[in-house]
Structure formats: C-alpha cells, structure tokens
Amino acid sequence: MSKEEKPRVSLVVIGHVDAGKSTTTGHLIYKCGGVDQETIAKYEKEANELGKPTQKFAWVLDNLKAERERGITIDISLWKFATKQYEFTIIDAPGHRDFIKNTITGTSQADVAMLVVDASHGGFEEGISRGGQTREHALLAFTLGVKQMVVAVNKMDDKSVNYSQSRYEDVKSEVATYLKRVGYKPAKVTFVPISGWEGDNITESSSNMPWYDGPTLLDALDKVSAPKRPADKSLRIPIQDVYKIGGIGTVPVGRVETGIMKPGITAQFAPSGITAEVKSCEVHHESLDEVGPGTNVGFNVKNVALKDIRRGDVASDADDNPAKGVTSFEAQIVVMNHPGRVTVGYCPVIDCHTAHVACTFTSIKQKLNRQTGKVVEENPEFLQNGDAAIVTLEPSKPLCVEPFAEYPPLGRFTIRDMKQTVAVGVVKSTTKDELA
C-alpha cells in the first residue's frame, strides 16, 4: 500500500500539564516519520545550551510550532507519523487550564485520544485530583465523541517509580475506574507503561519492564478502528483559522467533517450567510480536485475579505442544504462540575466545534435519569451536579450548530464557566435563523 493510501486518523494528545505529552509525542514522531536525526541533534544541542537536556523531544514539537508561526500550515499543529495501517495526524492539546479552549477545538476534531498519565509519585495524584486535567480532558474527549482511547502511563523511568509493576497496576486501576465513570469501557481501552523520555515501549518493547507483555504505544495506536467518514452527507467544514496569503487571497482552513469539498462550488458561510466561489483546495500544500471527510483543508475563496470569515463559522455548499445560523437550540446536557445551581437565565460559554459563544438557558424542560434517559421531572427549577436534562439555549451572538443525530461533529458541545467545564451536551434540534 502506498503511503498516500493509508487511512488518515486524527489523534489528540491529552493529559495533565507536565505529564509528558510533548516529549512522548515528539518521540513518536522522531521514531516514525516526522523528524530527521539531524533536526533532533540540533534541538538537543539547543536544549542543552539552555540547560534543559530532558526537553529535546518536546522541542521537536515546540520548534515546529514556532515554524508554524512563520509559514502557513493547515491545522492547529500538524505533525504526522505512520503506523503499519494508518497515517496519524497529531493534534497537540496543551495541558494548562487556560488552554482548555484550544483543547476543546482540538478534541472536537479527533478520532482517537491518547491520554498521557504521569505515573510518578505526586505527579499522578495531582493530575487525577479534582482540579487536575486528567479527569477533565478524559471527560471532554468522551463527550466530544472521541470514543477510542489509548492510555500511556508515562514516567515509568522516574526514580519514584523505577519501572515498578505494582505502581503501574495502581495507576491503571485508578484511571480505569475514572474512565468507566466518564463512559468509556475500560476493557476496550489499551494501557501501555512507557517512558516518553527514555523511549521504553514507545516503538519497541522495553527490557526494563519484562513483566509487561502487551503492545507498544505504536502497536496500540495501530490497532484502533478506522473512523467512518460520512461523505454522502451535505458539506460541513467548521473553520479553524482564516489566512490572507499574498498573491492568492483569503484562505479559510478547517476539517471537512461531512460531504466533499471541491473547487468550483459556491461556499456559504454560516451564520453570516456570506457566499463565495471556491477557487482551489489545498491539503498539505498540494492542490486537490476533491477533499473528503476527515481531512484538513485550506480553500481559497473569491472576493471575500479576511474579516468576513472567522473561526467558528461553518462552510457548506450553497446549493446543497447549506448550514445556517440558529436563533436557539434544544439540547440534552449533563451537569458535571458546577459549584451551585443552574437555573433559567444562566449564561455560560458554549464550545461547539470551533465556535465559542455565550448562550443563555431560556428553559429547563425536563430532568432525565442519566442511565435510562427517562423523564424524572418536568420543568425543574434548577439543575445541579450529576443531573441530566433537556434545555433550550439561546446564543448571544450568531452561531451555527446542527442536530447531533444529523451532523455529530457539529452537534456536540461543552459548557464552560470560570475556566472549567461545567457541563457537556448534544444538540437535539435547532431553530434556524432564516434571515441569514
């Protein structure tokens, strides 16, 4: 099979800050494709000069980030590596709480999540604690529809762990318990004990852990199921970024979630209703005649100013069931992490695909049993942690969402307040803004 024909899989790397996400990811890319030995040597030298010798693999990513600032690459951060079966595109999701907006944008486009957990004493406990990001990221991934997960239990080489099987088993059982609460089936989640820094069990089995007979991290990723891509639905592309490129013009960038994008169609952007002819489509700097679902594409549109299109807009085909803005939408939500009561009038930020918009709760219609989905109370006065409910939300400014049943990537959302994920949900139905 030629390199081009491998199915593409998007991988989001999540976990607590300092769990070793960048180092582990950098190591994978170094071993499987993305970065040559010469570049690594250069980064190693720079890292040593700055007195940060353990950072060389993370530097791969961070320097590529800086490269990205200078040129145009078509993604949040597009690093690739190949396994036997797939070509993986890595979406790096930073771990600091302030970055959770980017994490949500990245996670909403991923097929598979790699959760990196710090096994070191103290590090693990901090990451899994109530305020740690291990829990929040896992929950985000599940709600945003990333149903496949591989857990990398990192820092097995740490002095406090010393490749101990019992520590690995403790960490694994605690993470598995939490993942089960979130909704994952622990039996289907592969756990791999690794050292992102030393390279144990990343692409080759480690002699330091003879007690472990499972797959390496690379093998675990190679065993995921290829995502099904809905090419026969109408076109939907949530916009991540918009660039102005000299000599070419305005280039919106996003992932084709459903349908087929091709030059010559008239693109319609929601919620603004602006239309424009698509002149060309580019994937990884290569012009293509058509681009199917799952692929990040940059497309050049005629006669549209940079300011007219923004992140969070959705591109569609003006002649085939185009996307529209909504004046309100009905959703099923689960409140997970709110310090008080959620009542009508509450106005948090809704993150859906690449959009971040404040929305007001205009009604709380029904409270549901989380397990069975049956109605337990009509028109409840308030919701609190653990409650599932059907609610109506009204965006404070134009927003494009779609029912989850029709366009899953445009129908999943998280509700954020006070820099935390307060609730998660799916869109049941929408009231379209027919004026747009």
Side-chain angles (χ1 to χ4, degrees), residues 94-103 133 136 416 419:
H96 283 281
R97 186 170 284 290
D98 296 348
F99 280 130
I100 207 106
K101 203 151 101 182
N102 289 352
T103 306
Q133 276 115 16
E136 190 169 19
R416 288 174 51 250
K419 290 192 175 169

Side-chain angles (χ1 to χ4, degrees), residues 25 58 81 98 109 121 123 186 189 193 240 257 275 277 296 313 317 337 341 367 431:
T25 313
F81 67 93
D98 296 348
Q109 293 148 359
H121 284 273
V189 175
Q240 287 166 23
E257 294 293 0
T275 56
E277 188 191 328
N296 291 283
D313 285 359
D317 180 342
N337 191 16
R341 294 176 166 188
K367 200 192 282 190
T431 305

